[in-house]
Amino acid sequence: MRSKLFVPGTRPELFAKALGSAADGICIDLEDAVSESRKDEARDVVRQLLQGGEAAATGKTLIVRVNAMDTPHFERDMAAVAQPGVHLINLPKPASAAHVRAAIDALERAERVNGVRSPIGMLLNIETPSALRLASELALAHPRVKGLQLGLGDLFEPLGIARRESAAIQQAMFAVRIAAGEAGVYAYDSAFADIADAAGYRAEAMLARNLGFLGKTCIHPSQVAVANDVFRPTDEEIAHARKVVEATRDADARGLGAYVVDGRMIDVPFVIRARAIVESARSLGLLND
């Protein structure tokens, strides 16, 4: 999921456009993008969309961001949107591993009522100082946790940290990526609010890619093409990865644990990465075989 396009739950006129876009996934929001007075309306609109089946038929990754557990909306959100075809529930502001498990208990209850047979995963927002400190513990709380998503605006603003402070951005990204790696889940990058600054979005996406993030949130359709371009494997990466995979077969047959490909020493971690690149390229239709 290189790109995830954000859609407010109160804007049903945008649903079809988002589903027809080039984004790999869409995230329909019931939280920050919806005013308190329109929570019930948004919940009903999103439930109708999901129950209709058209969204699932697009093949995109479908995500719904619910309201936080300490609000009166959480249980009703979960009951409404835990529907067949949804891939991930995006949980804001998880406070502890117990908090995450309680959210997943609510998700499982809603799945049983709504006839969901394929378990829905959980994408956790890392957007508070405590969540950043506990990120690996949160990710390890339950097997349904699939990823950690960095929320730099929510994290930085209360602390008075400038959203464009590069050193702080890199440190927060690194901490989330290491925590995700410890838990064996993916890391997903934050939204970038300055829609007019395409160069700034690309630069932040490139940093995230270099730190091993899976993709970046898009809050405007214009950002989708940039995210898709940045987070796809390059032709050079694909070519090298295929050489590594082929060389590994030969090395395994010869009993070699380390060998050289294109002047680079290769051992197990590089093989794992090469296989992931080849699989990603194949899933994106970049390979003919």
Side-chain angles (χ1 to χ4, degrees):
M1 189 172 59
R2 302 163 297 171
S3 54
K4 172 173 65 62
L5 182 58
F6 187 85
V7 187
T10 48
R11 300 290 303 278
E13 72 276 12
L14 299 180
F15 293 168
K17 292 180 181 179
L19 290 166
S21 74
D24 291 344
I26 67 166
C27 181
I28 303 175
D29 186 41
L30 295 176
E31 194 211 14
D32 286 350
V34 178
S35 66
E36 195 69 20
S37 63
R38 301 186 70 185
K39 296 290 189 184
D40 292 341
E41 172 195 345
R43 187 184 303 115
D44 289 341
V45 167
V46 174
R47 182 182 66 241
Q48 291 172 28
L49 170 72
L50 298 173
Q51 289 178 336
E54 295 86 353
T58 65
K60 294 189 184 298
T61 299
L62 297 181
I63 307 162
V64 181
R65 183 166 75 172
V66 297
N67 287 278
M69 289 184 69
D70 61 356
T71 70
H73 308 292
F74 172 76
E75 291 280 353
R76 284 176 286 172
D77 286 352
M78 201 68 84
V81 305
Q83 299 287 345
V86 173
H87 298 94
L88 293 166
I89 295 294
N90 183 203
L91 182 69
K93 299 175 177 64
S96 65
H99 199 181
V100 173
R101 288 190 288 270
I104 292 172
D105 285 345
L107 172 59
E108 291 174 341
R109 291 194 298 271
E111 287 175 336
R112 288 192 291 271
V113 172
N114 295 336
V116 175
R117 296 187 177 181
S118 296
I120 298 170
M122 191 76 76
L123 175 62
L124 305 180
N125 280 8
I126 304 302
E127 53 189 348
T128 64
S130 62
L132 186 62
R133 177 172 53 85
L134 299 171
S136 61
E137 181 179 323
L138 298 174
L140 287 163
H142 195 281
R144 289 227 196 178
V145 176
K146 304 302 179 184
L148 300 178
Q149 178 172 280
L150 185 59
L152 287 173
D154 285 86
L155 179 62
F156 285 178
E157 189 65 26
L159 303 176
I161 299 173
R163 173 59 181 81
R164 304 291 287 270
E165 174 54 50
S166 58
I169 290 169
Q170 185 161 351
Q171 288 187 53
M173 283 185 176
F174 183 75
V176 169
R177 183 65 188 95
I178 292 298
E182 179 181 352
V185 303
Y186 62 78
Y188 209 84
D189 195 20
S190 186
F192 187 85
D194 192 348
I195 296 167
D197 186 4
Y201 181 90
R202 179 176 286 274
E204 197 166 281
M206 283 298 302
L207 174 59
R209 186 190 194 276
N210 290 339
L211 289 172
F213 279 62
L214 182 66
K216 186 167 179 63
T217 300
C218 308
I219 60 170
H220 190 271
S222 63
Q223 295 175 336
V224 170
V226 179
N228 284 350
D229 180 55
V230 169
F231 287 97
R232 60 149 280 180
T234 66
D235 293 342
E236 293 78 10
E237 287 172 330
I238 295 169
H240 177 71
R242 295 186 74 177
K243 286 183 182 179
V244 170
V245 171
E246 292 168 5
T248 300
R249 296 192 191 102
D250 179 63
D252 287 346
R254 296 166 58 195
L256 299 177
Y259 37 95
V260 175
V261 176
D262 290 341
R264 306 179 202 174
M265 180 64 70
I266 302 298
D267 59 9
V268 173
F270 296 95
V271 175
I272 293 172
R273 176 63 180 155
R275 287 172 175 160
I277 290 172
V278 171
E279 182 58 33
S280 174
R282 186 167 286 117
S283 70
L284 294 171
L286 303 176
L287 293 177
N288 295 323
D289 57 3

